[in-house]
Amino acid sequence: MRTRRPAPTLAQVKAIRRFTVRTVLPETLQPLEELVLNLRWSWHHETLELFRSVDPDLWETVHHDPVRLLGEVSAARLAVLAADKRFLRRLDDAADDLRGYLTAPRWYQSLTDPPRAIGYFSPEYGIAAALPQYSGGLGILAGDHLKTASDLGVPIIGVGLLYRHGYFTQSLSADGWQLERYPPIDPNGLPLTLLPGTRVTLDLPDGRVLHAQIWLARVGRVPLLLLDSDVEENDHAARDVTDRLYGGGTDHRLLQEMLLGIGGVRAIRAYCDATGHEAPEVFHTNEGHAGFLGVERIRELVTEQGLTVDEALEAVRSGTVFTTHTPVPAGIDRFPRELVQRYFTSFEGIPVERVLSLGAETYETGDPTVFNMAVMGMRLAQRVNGVSALHGAVSRTMFGGLWGGFDTADVPIGSITNGVHAATWVAPEVFELAARETPALMEYGRDWSEVAGVPEPEIWRVRRTLRSRLVEGARLRVRASWVQRGSSPAELAWADEVLDPDVLTIGFARRVPSYKRLTLMMRDEARLRALLLDPDRPVQIVIAGKAHPADEGGKRLIQDIVRFADAEGVRHRIVFLPDYDMALGQLLVQGCDVWMNNPLRPLEACGTSGMKAALNGGLNLSIRDGWWDEWFDGQNGWAIPTADGVSDPDRRDDLEAAALYELIEEHVSVMFYDRDAAGLPRRWLEMVKHTLASLGPKVLATRMLRDYVVTLYGPAALSARSMAASSFAGARELAAWKLRVLKAWPGVGVDHVESTGVGDSPHVGALLTVRALVDLGELTPSDVVVEVAYGPVDESDSLLSPAYLELTGEEVAEDGRHRYAGEVPLDRTGAFGYSVRVVPRHERLVSRTELGLVALPSVPPGMTSGDLR
């Protein structure tokens, strides 16, 4: 007898494909489609208010997503709007405003001969919560970069990947364990358009081909190209390459980064050919994930322009900027060397050995078995920067081995401190107050000292409004989370009393790796509980953050904080809000009175959340790391003391947690609750004003992007043009010069150094005459510069922050060696020393340390450099 398979129940039937059906708009409402498809709405409050007015209740239901709004609004409501003359006037005004914004000249157009275009590559972009293509700070920074480029008129073309499942949606189990879900994303339900007939392909081992289509997101004036491998031509494995952000195994990640870098360059070429957009002169690699873009550009020049690999490398480097975002080695992508070799063995135009050499960790502490994406990014870029002054210093130490022989201070890694896009992160109420009291305050170059004249009652009124909004939003999220964890709505009446709009509110939200120390506040739970429940000066804390799905330690930290926050006695004063995203981030940075950050110094590259809080009138309470180390002035917030010299991590955490408690108890809460007869915390508000005046001009992304344009993009474009002129004559000449110098360098040496002119007791103001006898081997004096390094020395005779003086060439000795001399000013008292070095010199080098070559005096046994005479 044949057994029949039972028919599936309704609950078992699931759609195999998800898509979005968009509504057909009446003709008079067609400008709504134009507004929706340009992501400028994500930071333009007037357009957002227009969308809200389409259907206020539905607007809340779709979580402020205009694409979903237009997809779900009823035909009856559209008919009403189509006949509403007032709404149609607002709609036409908004559309006209957008068109003017997209075409009017802006700051960049006032520059003389700037780069014609810049290609900006990043693995993630945080543009809006409705476009979930980000995981954390790297993506949020990239989104702010593009928005600011649009506002300033900088002709950037963004490149990324379209992840069909985004990062992940976070929820909690009943016992507080992080749960991940990857809901499918339908690109047709996002503010994207597909570039018709445009594909990029990558050849893979075993004769396979990876195909990708290109989606276009319009970020104001900036086109953002997102590559998507979920196309019919691909096999199942290839279709999954862009399935999720930072997901999959090693092969999967390598394919993502090949598609981003190599496919991204090809996507830009296809886009420019199709639209007539200027091709980029400068390529900006935002972290190492996109580093293969340099390999693809070398291939182009070798196969299309006939350059050698060395010549193409010089042309590519000249126009490339690389930004590193991590001070933690574990944050860098490193692949097995054999894996990269397999994928690049048949790569056209560049031998696989040369590809492998770009990512080789050739320094003393390196691993010869791995391929390092950040190292490749630095070798392929003539200009490299960190994202705060402290991070630049950390990076020079971290990557100094690539320039072996030079002091850490000479490593050619600079820094541009991040900034934030004010229109995205600052509450409308703050903008309204600024417009009323200090018009155009947030324009670049304004003197923010006029903040001092803003009435304090108005600042306090706005701050309470924003705090109340945070409290309301937190209550809704707490209730929803507890229901999802298994509680009955009937037993959650207490959730309506969570937090208090009149209590000092501290925010803490970020990714949850161990070095960010989510649970430092819990080192002494009794003391934390006392802070929260203080009868006179209570404190409430709002926490959010995601741990990487593979980070069990991070998940345990979340579970620990949730366990504490679940306790009945404190749950009205401390909450953990799941699913940290841009929408929740905006709520937090706008509503918190204090933004807390307590990483292990110096492991925070920048940390921009505190900048956003500051622009909203919040104060920072932070370890001096990242940007806060640079701009804390003693009056614009509080610095948590660090126990840098303590090697025991538990002891260090105990000390820094105790310092944190004391700051909150004795300073932060005291100042917040110290009220005058009018009920105003005058000292607190004075600190808010000082924070805005001192930090406002610095933390804006307009300052950051101008720094990039002036100090990196502009010079890179000039270098690239110089290299490409006359059929790449500059690249050919520089490559030949480097090969000649590298071959001859073993013959270069400082044979003798002596000094005269100061006697046995030198005094400040005297001049020390330094002479050196230098063997240049097969090089000429024009190939090198001979310098004296001088300054204070420590007990081991190491020069501390030395100054450099170029020595001038004198006569050539009979044996062909060259004599150099110069006068060193003795401009300080105390222990003083000097040495001499020879480094390569060429007009096309950005830094004399670029080649990593230096010749120093040979010091006989038993002598130090200070003994040389």
Side-chain angles (χ1 to χ4, degrees):
M1 181 175 175
R2 192 173 183 181
T3 303
R4 297 185 62 184
R5 178 178 298 173
T9 66
L10 183 62
Q12 292 175 312
V13 178
K14 292 188 177 181
I16 62 172
R17 189 75 177 179
R18 178 189 178 98
F19 55 91
T20 300
V21 180
R22 293 189 181 184
T23 189
V24 177
L25 293 172
E27 184 176 351
T28 55
L29 299 181
Q30 286 297 318
L32 280 172
E33 188 80 12
E34 180 183 354
L35 293 173
V36 163
L37 288 178
N38 193 304
L39 283 154
R40 187 213 185 195
W41 57 256
S42 68
W43 72 90
H44 192 248
H45 298 301
E46 290 83 356
T47 304
L48 288 171
E49 284 302 313
L50 178 72
F51 288 138
R52 182 191 304 275
S53 68
V54 168
D55 187 328
D57 292 336
L58 181 58
W59 179 248
E60 297 303 322
T61 301
V62 300
H63 304 293
H64 303 178
D65 181 344
V67 180
R68 284 187 60 192
L69 177 77
L70 296 190
E72 298 182 23
V73 66
S74 68
R77 177 59 181 165
L78 290 176
V80 170
L81 293 173
D84 185 337
K85 292 183 179 180
R86 182 172 178 273
F87 179 84
L88 294 178
R89 281 195 301 271
R90 291 178 63 201
L91 176 58
D92 288 342
D93 288 346
D96 287 343
D97 182 77
L98 174 62
R99 294 168 196 144
Y101 171 85
L102 296 178
T103 56
R106 307 189 79 81
W107 168 77
Y108 192 83
Q109 283 66 50
S110 70
L111 301 180
T112 301
D113 199 23
R116 292 187 288 273
I118 300 103
Y120 182 88
F121 288 62
S122 178
E124 52 175 301
Y125 289 91
I127 308 293
L131 187 62
Q133 300 293 305
Y134 60 93
S135 71
L138 179 68
I140 300 300
L141 183 279
D144 281 10
H145 200 99
L146 296 196
K147 293 173 186 177
T148 308
S150 176
D151 291 343
L152 294 178
V154 182
I156 281 178
I157 303 174
V159 180
L161 301 180
L162 179 68
Y163 305 99
R164 289 299 185 110
H165 292 85
Y167 190 43
F168 68 87
T169 298
Q170 179 197 49
S171 58
L172 299 174
S173 69
D175 64 354
W177 189 257
Q178 173 179 290
L179 303 175
E180 300 94 23
R181 187 169 62 89
Y182 291 87
I185 295 171
D186 172 27
N188 293 294
L190 300 176
L192 305 173
T193 54
L194 186 64
L195 291 182
T198 307
R199 288 280 202 275
V200 297
T201 61
L202 272 70
D203 292 332
L204 303 179
D206 306 321
R208 297 171 59 230
V209 177
L210 175 62
H211 302 263
Q213 58 189 356
I214 306 169
W215 295 89
L216 172 64
R218 299 191 179 279
V219 187
R221 302 162 72 112
V222 172
L224 171 57
L225 310 179
L226 299 174
L227 281 70
D228 172 18
S229 69
D230 189 11
V231 297
E232 185 177 354
E233 296 93 329
N234 285 332
D235 58 28
H236 179 75
R239 294 182 74 160
D240 282 348
V241 167
T242 55
D243 60 348
R244 60 183 61 175
L245 176 59
Y246 301 142
T250 304
D251 286 62
H252 186 269
R253 289 287 294 274
L254 180 60
L255 281 171
Q256 283 191 339
E257 300 188 4
M258 290 176 64
L259 181 59
L260 175 60
I262 299 169
V265 172
R266 295 176 185 179
I268 279 184
R269 304 303 186 207
Y271 174 77
C272 292
D273 288 344
T275 63
H277 195 290
E278 289 276 11
E281 292 186 281
V282 176
F283 287 77
H284 185 171
T285 310
N286 192 40
E287 197 45 87
H289 309 281
F292 288 122
L293 74 87
V295 176
E296 169 63 8
R297 293 178 60 216
I298 289 173
R299 183 202 65 79
E300 289 180 329
L301 294 174
V302 171
T303 60
E304 298 171 14
Q305 301 295 331
L307 273 63
T308 67
V309 172
D310 290 310
E311 293 164 350
L313 175 61
E314 297 308 325
V316 166
R317 291 185 73 251
S318 65
T320 302
V321 173
F322 178 81
T323 299
T324 174
H325 287 263
T326 177
V328 185
I332 296 171
D333 278 346
R334 301 161 85 219
F335 296 105
R337 179 182 172 91
E338 293 78 10
L339 180 64
V340 177
Q341 184 173 14
R342 180 161 66 88
Y343 276 96
F344 282 90
T345 292
S346 58
F347 191 76
E348 183 184 16
I350 176 170
V352 67
E353 292 80 13
R354 293 302 303 272
V355 176
L356 293 172
S357 69
L358 292 171
E361 296 183 351
T362 52
Y363 38 89
E364 183 178 350
T365 59
D367 183 346
T369 69
V370 303
F371 184 95
N372 186 310
M373 294 296 290
V375 166
M376 176 178 65
M378 293 182 183
R379 287 193 172 120
L380 286 169
Q382 200 170 42
R383 292 164 177 83
V384 181
N385 70 285
V387 291
S388 69
L390 179 59
H391 179 232
V394 171
S395 298
R396 286 189 287 276
T397 298
M398 186 172 170
F399 296 103
L402 294 175
W403 293 271
F406 286 97
D407 292 338
T408 300
D410 290 326
V411 172
I413 300 176
S415 65
I416 292 179
T417 303
N418 286 341
V420 299
H421 186 248
T424 296
W425 300 106
V426 175
E429 292 84 354
V430 176
F431 273 113
E432 291 165 6
L433 178 61
R436 197 165 58 244
E437 303 290 342
T438 55
L441 178 67
M442 293 190 185
E443 293 180 1
Y444 183 80
R446 294 279 297 190
D447 180 3
W448 283 53
S449 62
E450 58 194 282
V451 167
V454 178
E456 292 176 357
E458 284 297 290
I459 296 176
W460 192 237
R461 177 188 61 80
V462 169
R463 288 300 315 148
R464 191 184 190 282
T465 297
L466 299 182
R467 196 184 312 115
S468 298
R469 183 182 300 153
L470 171 59
V471 168
E472 180 182 352
R475 289 172 177 173
L476 292 173
R477 288 172 181 264
V478 167
R479 174 178 285 273
S481 177
W482 277 75
V483 169
Q484 189 277 328
R485 294 170 65 188
S487 295
S488 166
E491 60 182 312
L492 291 176
W494 61 269
D496 296 332
E497 304 299 324
V498 165
L499 306 182
D500 184 327
D502 292 311
V503 166
L504 170 63
T505 305
I506 297 176
F508 185 97
R510 52 203 12 95
R511 291 184 303 110
V512 191
S514 59
Y515 76 87
K516 290 182 182 285
R517 298 193 293 184
L518 172 70
T519 56
L520 184 71
M521 68 183 81
M522 292 173 52
R523 294 297 291 186
D524 185 337
E525 293 188 12
R527 196 165 180 185
L528 174 60
R529 189 175 290 106
L531 281 172
L532 298 172
L533 303 178
D534 188 294
D536 300 317
R537 297 194 294 267
V539 173
Q540 58 194 16
I541 304 178
V542 186
I543 306 163
K546 290 181 175 181
H548 188 280
D551 182 5
E552 297 292 305
K555 293 181 183 181
R556 278 192 293 273
L557 294 177
I558 290 176
Q559 187 177 43
D560 288 343
I561 206 82
V562 171
R563 172 190 55 78
F564 181 87
D566 280 353
E568 187 173 350
V570 297
R571 64 189 182 190
H572 64 299
R573 287 282 185 259
I574 181 169
V575 296
F576 181 89
L577 303 181
D579 208 23
Y580 182 38
D581 64 0
M582 287 188 69
L584 178 54
Q586 288 168 325
L587 195 66
L588 287 166
V589 298
Q590 293 169 9
C592 289
D593 300 297
V594 174
W595 196 259
M596 186 167 68
N597 190 22
N598 46 234
L600 275 171
R601 188 181 189 272
L603 301 183
E604 181 84 273
C606 186
T608 57
S609 296
M611 297 179 177
K612 300 162 191 170
L615 286 176
N616 282 286
L619 301 176
N620 277 268
L621 170 65
S622 177
I623 294 285
R624 290 195 62 166
D625 202 359
W627 74 275
W628 189 237
D629 180 73
E630 194 171 340
W631 290 334
F632 169 67
D633 68 4
Q635 300 298 321
N636 55 7
W638 297 272
I640 304 169
T642 56
D644 289 341
V646 177
S647 58
D648 180 354
D650 287 330
R651 175 65 176 156
R652 177 172 179 170
D653 284 355
D654 286 340
L655 291 171
E656 294 184 7
L660 172 62
Y661 297 138
E662 183 178 356
L663 277 172
I664 296 174
E665 289 170 343
E666 304 298 330
H667 300 275
V668 181
S669 63
V670 170
M671 187 179 294
F672 182 85
Y673 288 107
D674 180 16
R675 309 293 169 86
D676 66 6
L680 296 176
R682 294 288 181 180
R683 290 194 300 152
W684 183 276
L685 292 170
E686 284 299 320
M687 184 176 279
V688 168
K689 287 184 176 183
H690 176 72
T691 294
L692 287 166
S694 64
L695 293 180
K698 298 174 182 177
V699 303
L700 293 178
T702 48
R703 184 273 314 153
M704 173 191 74
L705 191 55
R706 286 172 184 240
D707 286 349
Y708 273 103
V709 169
V710 172
T711 65
L712 295 179
Y713 294 164
L718 293 177
S719 293
R721 292 171 191 170
S722 174
M723 291 289 189
S726 304
S727 299
F728 293 92
R732 298 177 196 274
E733 188 271 332
L734 181 59
W737 178 85
K738 281 190 175 181
L739 289 174
R740 180 170 61 85
V741 170
L742 286 167
K743 181 180 179 181
W745 198 256
V748 176
V750 180
D751 291 347
H752 181 72
V753 178
E754 63 183 23
S755 60
T756 58
V758 296
D760 295 329
S761 302
H763 297 279
V764 171
L767 294 176
L768 178 75
T769 300
V770 176
R771 292 185 175 85
L773 188 62
V774 177
D775 187 347
L776 297 181
E778 299 179 8
L779 299 181
T780 67
S782 64
D783 293 321
V784 302
V785 59
V786 180
E787 300 173 318
V788 56
Y790 63 93
V793 294
D794 62 16
E795 293 181 356
S796 66
D797 278 342
S798 295
L799 288 164
L800 306 175
S801 301
Y804 293 93
L805 175 72
E806 182 174 343
L807 301 180
T808 56
E810 297 182 335
E811 77 279 3
V812 179
E814 293 182 1
D815 57 5
R817 292 183 295 177
H818 295 257
R819 299 186 187 277
Y820 288 84
E823 292 185 325
V824 173
L826 303 184
D827 54 4
R828 53 157 291 150
T829 59
F832 190 90
Y834 72 90
S835 186
V836 172
R837 71 180 188 181
V838 185
V839 293
R841 171 168 54 189
H842 193 283
E843 62 180 2
R844 298 186 190 277
L845 298 181
V846 172
S847 165
R848 290 173 178 173
T849 63
E850 187 173 313
L851 274 71
L853 299 176
V854 59
L856 299 169
S858 56
V859 182
M863 294 180 64
T864 69
S865 59
D867 294 319
L868 291 170
R869 296 288 186 268

